[in-house]
Amino acid sequence: MSYAVDLLFGPQHPALHEPERFRFKVDGEIIVDVDVKIGFIHRGIEKLAESKNFIQNIYLTERICGICNVAHTLCYVQAVEDMAGIEVPERAKYLRVIVHELNRIHSHLLILGVAAELLGWETEFMYLWRDREAIMDIIEDVTGNRVTSAFNTIGGVRRDINNTQKERMLKVLDKVEKDTRFHKKVLEEDPLYRERMVNMGVLKTRDAIERCAVGPTARGSNVDYDVRAHDPYAAYDEIPFNVIRYKECDSWARMMVRVDETLESINIIRYALKHLPGGEIRVKVPPRLPAGEGLSRVEAPRGELIHHVFCKGDVKPYRLKVRTPTFANILAIAPTFIGHTIADVPAILVSIDPCFSCTDRLTFVDVSSGKVMKLSLGEIKRMYWSR
Amino acid sequence: MDLFKLVEVVVFPGLMYLVVLAIFFEWYKRKLVARMQSRLGPTYTGFRGILQPLADFLKLLFKEDIEVTTGDQKMLTLVLLVAPTLFIFSLFFVPVTGYTIFSFEGDLLLVLFISSIASLLLYLVGWTFRSSFTKAGAARLLLQIVGFDIAAIALALVPAFEAESLCIATISEKISSAVISNPLLLIPHGFAFILFLLAQQADLEEDPFDIPHAETELVAGYITEISGRKLAFLDLFKDLQMVYVSFFTASLFFGVIVKPLSAVLVIASSVEMFLKALLVLFILFTIEAASTRIRIYNLLDAFWKYIIPLSFFSLSLLFIIKALPGVLL
């Protein structure tokens, strides 16, 4: 007989940097069941996108996720370009790759630091974030801002880079590579870190494919799946790189995929800078686009990101649909909590690099009849206050 | 009790000196760990932020005391009044300045007993609330105490047997000559010192043993529901524990150079003890900065499978070395 009790993780909890609720059924310290509830930070961005024009939506989609902002703008502009049949100049494609990879490096170093902090290893957290600052500086140098810079635009990019910036970037990349190699050694060899991460949340290759895991989560489970390699966009068809995979299928493998991808991204940027073609960086695009439908897939730092745009021949999209990687990964990872202890929850959760604000979806369902409803804001308010 | 003794108890090396030390050690910890993590640590208040812990303490004293209705506030207040007192009382037997205020043959056992009671009182802090986080934290704390306390007591007996005394002041006086006269004793002595440091790290709840108040798992563990004045006194309690651990370890394992025979020498020996305490804390905080938190199961594994058997091993090694000359001759 078990005496399972409910332990609530969230919506507010120090291990969660964004509000989301996990209801764990725990027997002593062992988790016997888990229930994920998303929807605490729903922002209605897809609906808002319908009221803004195509250019304004670049700034909106950028704010879906602050950390992988470049992936979101890139995906969105590619979807619009796909819809309108716009051909982007070669130089713009390479610049998109450079900024996209810089964004990936910063995101990966960030989550590696957060993982260390969640395991109580503040020193490694501080070191990783200190080393990440160099990348933030070159992102600012190239795009004009540390985080949200709206570098990509429909038809190309908004800024060019010159030789001085190139030199600066190469110098910083050398330093970041050295630092990352140091951190790789530390994370590979530290016995206490391994103790906490190895064999945690094992997601078998078969399960990862069945549950549609994407990105580093899938590649940590030895799934050969990377949008950059298998459905190349921007200039990825011309740039050689390896798809990093780990056979261990656990939290540790998922984190090590990120370390190795950081090194791989540095090589991609070096190659792109070396082979940067000349010419224009953007083509002019009219504000009113023809009716149509466009889809784009991008390998965001957290995994495959999809933007789907409909247009009825207007300055605004008729509908914008976004599927973010965490939405796929969180369902894949949820069953792996079972059998572990409460102390392992942060270690498993952080390994998918959760980003909940991009994940949240909202549908009103009458639980008794199973009917899906549409409610306006006024109706929701009235229902809330009448409770 | 004469007036001189009263001044000793209240001012130096008693209550006030210990509280000042506690606040200083808190700053030392913050600054040291911050510099190890390539941060600045406290900078604003006083010389290099040296008054920051005092400022934090005073600020907490003036904050609103939020009393959780499901908690037993009377019990909590009692615990938080008694617990710091226990450490201050046990520090009277430890040669903080090179000599002790009170001393008798067998005070080592009393001090070990009192420090165990003080750790157990923390468990009551968590147990007075009906929150799942404090409950889980308190349960973990209890498991942790069961882990490290036995090892700590067994290991504290190693220097006691080396110096052939159960009085802390006598041990700290005799330990260096005892070890020098029989250099073989360095083996169990070194063994015991390393293991004792680990046990004390678990007592202080620093990484890798900060399991009972693991921030990312249990919010703040057993401290979660405490605020205001009560939190201030809990912090003071943790700082006094730091003072106790550092001076207790230093006096048991390091021996003394300067003997406090006159007033000038008292100052010299206090500085000596202080530096030794800083050394102990330096080792502990280096471990704290360099490690991740382990799970409670790993802790119990580590202590019951390795550290407790090893501590009894070093104790028996000591007996063998002590008895060896007698057997051979």
Side-chain angles (χ1 to χ4, degrees):
Chain A
M1 178 166 177
S2 91
Y3 296 91
V5 291
D6 280 354
L7 187 95
L8 285 176
F9 250 60
Q12 296 296 330
H13 192 279
L16 304 169
H17 295 150
E18 288 165 277
E20 215 69 54
R21 197 180 75 185
F22 292 82
R23 184 196 291 275
F24 294 108
K25 274 209 183 318
V26 290
D27 187 2
E29 282 235 344
I30 309 289
I31 297 163
V32 290
D33 198 10
V34 57
D35 174 29
V36 186
K37 187 170 184 194
I38 64 170
F40 284 89
I41 190 165
H42 182 67
R43 295 170 296 173
I45 281 182
E46 287 178 1
K47 187 70 193 165
L48 188 59
E50 293 164 17
S51 65
K52 291 184 182 293
N53 68 31
F54 284 109
I55 296 295
Q56 284 172 331
N57 273 333
I58 297 172
Y59 304 98
L60 182 65
T61 49
E62 183 167 55
R63 279 154 182 80
I64 292 176
C65 178
I67 295 168
C68 38
N69 56 72
V70 178
H72 275 281
T73 53
L74 181 57
C75 199
Y76 168 72
V77 298
Q78 279 183 3
V80 175
E81 283 156 9
D82 179 35
M83 181 184 75
I86 299 160
E87 197 54 49
V88 181
E90 276 298 302
R91 188 177 175 83
K93 284 184 178 174
Y94 271 77
L95 288 174
R96 281 180 178 183
V97 166
I98 290 168
V99 176
H100 189 35
E101 292 303 322
L102 283 175
N103 186 234
R104 187 185 316 281
I105 297 173
H106 118 73
S107 171
H108 281 351
L109 291 180
L110 179 136
I111 195 63
L112 286 167
V114 169
E117 193 239 339
L118 288 185
L119 298 179
W121 195 8
E122 282 89 3
T123 311
E124 178 68 2
F125 162 67
M126 296 289 171
Y127 281 20
L128 273 161
W129 279 44
R130 180 193 64 188
D131 299 342
R132 173 179 162 268
E133 278 304 305
I135 288 290
M136 300 310 282
D137 287 346
I138 52 173
I139 290 177
E140 188 179 2
D141 190 17
V142 174
T143 67
N145 201 358
R146 278 164 61 89
V147 188
T148 47
S149 54
F151 185 73
N152 300 309
T153 190
I154 298 165
V157 294
R158 294 202 302 128
R159 278 166 170 251
D160 204 349
I161 63 170
N162 56 29
N163 280 333
T164 337
Q165 282 172 319
K166 227 192 248 183
E167 290 298 314
R168 265 203 296 256
M169 201 191 283
L170 284 171
K171 210 179 282 174
V172 173
L173 284 178
D174 286 343
K175 185 188 166 292
V176 173
E177 186 179 13
K178 201 171 130 256
D179 294 337
T180 313
R181 287 199 189 284
F182 165 75
H183 288 301
K184 184 180 178 186
K185 192 161 174 288
V186 170
L187 297 180
E188 260 177 358
E189 290 173 6
D190 186 77
L192 288 176
Y193 186 77
R194 284 186 69 93
E195 176 67 45
R196 291 301 303 270
M197 291 300 247
V198 172
N199 286 332
M200 284 302 131
V202 175
L203 182 66
K204 295 238 170 59
T205 312
R206 202 188 149 77
D207 293 341
I209 296 169
E210 267 179 7
R211 297 181 200 149
C212 304
V214 291
T217 311
R219 292 195 286 279
S221 295
N222 204 16
V223 180
D224 184 12
Y225 183 63
D226 189 328
V227 183
R228 289 177 293 171
H230 299 121
D231 184 11
Y233 52 94
Y236 282 109
D237 46 351
E238 295 160 23
I239 299 173
F241 69 98
N242 301 323
V243 177
I244 311 291
R245 284 187 291 163
Y246 270 75
K247 290 195 178 68
E248 281 84 351
C249 304
D250 52 11
S251 282
W252 181 81
R254 293 193 274 276
M255 297 324 281
M256 291 317 287
V257 165
R258 296 195 169 91
V259 180
D260 285 355
E261 274 188 8
T262 306
L263 296 171
E264 205 59 47
S265 293
I266 291 170
N267 288 334
I268 292 174
I269 296 171
R270 281 198 189 124
Y271 184 91
L273 283 175
K274 205 175 164 194
H275 298 84
L276 192 63
E280 285 294 304
I281 56 161
R282 67 183 289 192
V283 291
K284 277 271 178 206
V285 178
R288 188 178 293 271
L289 295 177
E293 187 180 332
L295 180 86
S296 167
R297 297 203 294 165
V298 158
E299 184 70 22
R302 293 173 166 88
E304 183 191 38
L305 171 70
I306 301 172
H307 278 234
H308 193 174
V309 186
F310 281 93
C311 180
K312 285 190 169 178
D314 198 354
V315 294
K316 299 184 281 197
Y318 176 70
R319 177 86 169 90
L320 170 69
K321 174 82 189 112
V322 181
R323 198 196 79 154
T324 52
T326 309
F327 193 57
N329 284 338
I330 198 143
L331 297 174
I333 206 78
T336 65
F337 283 110
I338 294 166
H340 291 297
T341 60
I342 303 168
D344 300 326
V345 169
I348 298 172
L349 192 60
V350 77
S351 71
I352 64 162
D353 194 354
C355 178
F356 295 125
S357 57
C358 0
T359 305
D360 274 357
R361 299 290 180 275
L362 199 66
T363 311
F364 292 103
V365 183
D366 189 346
V367 182
S368 53
S369 63
K371 218 179 94 187
V372 177
M373 298 177 287
K374 275 186 185 149
L375 297 174
S376 72
L377 189 62
E379 283 171 312
I380 299 168
K381 274 183 185 163
R382 236 170 290 135
M383 281 168 76
Y384 178 77
W385 288 114
S386 67
R387 263 199 321 185
Chain B
M1 188 185 280
D2 54 22
L3 191 67
F4 184 66
K5 206 78 172 170
L6 195 68
V7 171
E8 273 190 333
V9 166
V10 177
V11 186
F12 182 87
L15 186 64
M16 288 172 102
Y17 181 59
L18 292 176
V19 171
V20 169
L21 271 183
I23 287 167
F24 175 78
F25 281 175
E26 171 76 15
W27 172 82
Y28 177 65
K29 176 194 171 183
R30 284 199 207 168
K31 200 77 182 172
L32 191 69
V33 174
R35 294 311 295 154
M36 282 177 184
Q37 295 176 344
S38 80
R39 289 187 289 120
L40 285 177
T43 48
Y44 285 102
T45 39
F47 172 71
R48 300 193 176 224
I50 200 163
L51 294 175
Q52 190 62 47
L54 183 67
D56 289 351
F57 183 75
L58 292 177
K59 175 179 174 256
L60 277 177
L61 283 184
F62 290 115
K63 288 196 87 163
E64 184 194 357
D65 188 13
I66 301 163
E67 295 195 349
V68 182
T69 45
T70 54
D72 186 349
Q73 293 294 330
K74 275 181 202 150
M75 179 70 157
L76 183 63
T77 316
L78 190 71
V79 166
L80 290 175
L81 280 177
V82 171
T85 322
L86 284 178
F87 272 131
I88 290 173
F89 179 63
S90 57
L91 273 163
F92 289 163
F93 297 95
V94 177
V96 176
T97 52
Y99 74 98
T100 54
I101 305 174
F102 304 112
S103 181
F104 63 91
E105 188 63 36
D107 59 9
L108 176 67
L109 297 178
L110 179 72
V111 165
L112 284 170
F113 173 71
I114 291 176
S115 73
S116 298
I117 293 283
S119 303
L120 278 171
L121 281 177
L122 279 188
Y123 167 75
L124 284 181
V125 171
W127 201 246
T128 48
F129 295 105
R130 282 215 326 248
S131 152
S132 57
F133 293 123
T134 54
K135 283 254 157 67
R140 283 179 174 196
L141 181 71
L142 204 60
L143 282 171
Q144 185 153 327
I145 294 170
V146 169
F148 71 78
D149 219 26
I150 296 169
I153 291 169
L155 291 164
L157 290 180
V158 171
F161 281 117
E162 281 168 0
E164 291 170 358
S165 167
L166 278 176
C167 170
I168 300 171
T170 325
I171 293 172
S172 79
E173 244 171 65
K174 283 189 183 167
I175 190 80
S176 40
S177 56
V179 172
I180 289 164
S181 66
N182 190 356
L184 268 181
L185 283 178
L186 268 176
I187 304 166
H189 193 77
F191 243 106
F193 177 60
I194 295 165
L195 298 176
F196 192 73
L197 277 184
L198 282 177
Q200 296 306 315
Q201 183 86 337
D203 199 358
L204 283 178
E205 291 170 34
E206 299 287 357
D207 275 328
F209 305 121
D210 64 338
I211 306 161
H213 63 262
E215 295 90 1
T216 52
E217 294 153 24
L218 298 174
V219 186
Y222 59 89
I223 316 167
T224 309
E225 304 287 352
I226 304 174
S227 59
R229 287 191 289 278
K230 293 182 175 116
L231 187 60
F233 273 91
L234 194 82
D235 286 351
L236 183 68
F237 167 76
K238 296 303 286 183
D239 295 346
L240 280 167
Q241 192 176 21
M242 212 141 63
V243 178
Y244 159 75
V245 161
S246 55
F247 279 104
F248 187 53
T249 315
S251 55
L252 279 188
F253 286 93
F254 283 174
V256 286
I257 305 163
V258 188
K259 290 204 166 61
L261 299 174
S262 69
V264 181
L265 283 176
V266 166
I267 295 170
S269 67
S270 335
V271 172
E272 187 204 334
M273 280 306 288
F274 178 68
L275 290 177
K276 283 190 286 189
L278 285 189
L279 178 65
V280 170
L281 286 180
F282 181 81
I283 300 169
L284 292 181
F285 295 150
T286 312
I287 300 173
E288 126 99 14
S291 54
T292 59
R293 183 188 313 120
I294 60 173
R295 270 161 289 174
I296 187 74
Y297 296 112
N298 294 130
L299 179 129
L300 292 177
D301 257 20
F303 273 94
W304 282 99
K305 279 189 188 159
Y306 303 103
I307 295 179
I308 292 176
L310 275 176
S311 52
F312 283 111
F313 169 74
S314 55
L315 205 53
S316 26
L317 193 68
L318 172 73
F319 288 145
I320 293 168
I321 292 168
K322 276 260 189 196
L324 212 55
V327 174
L328 289 179
L329 288 174

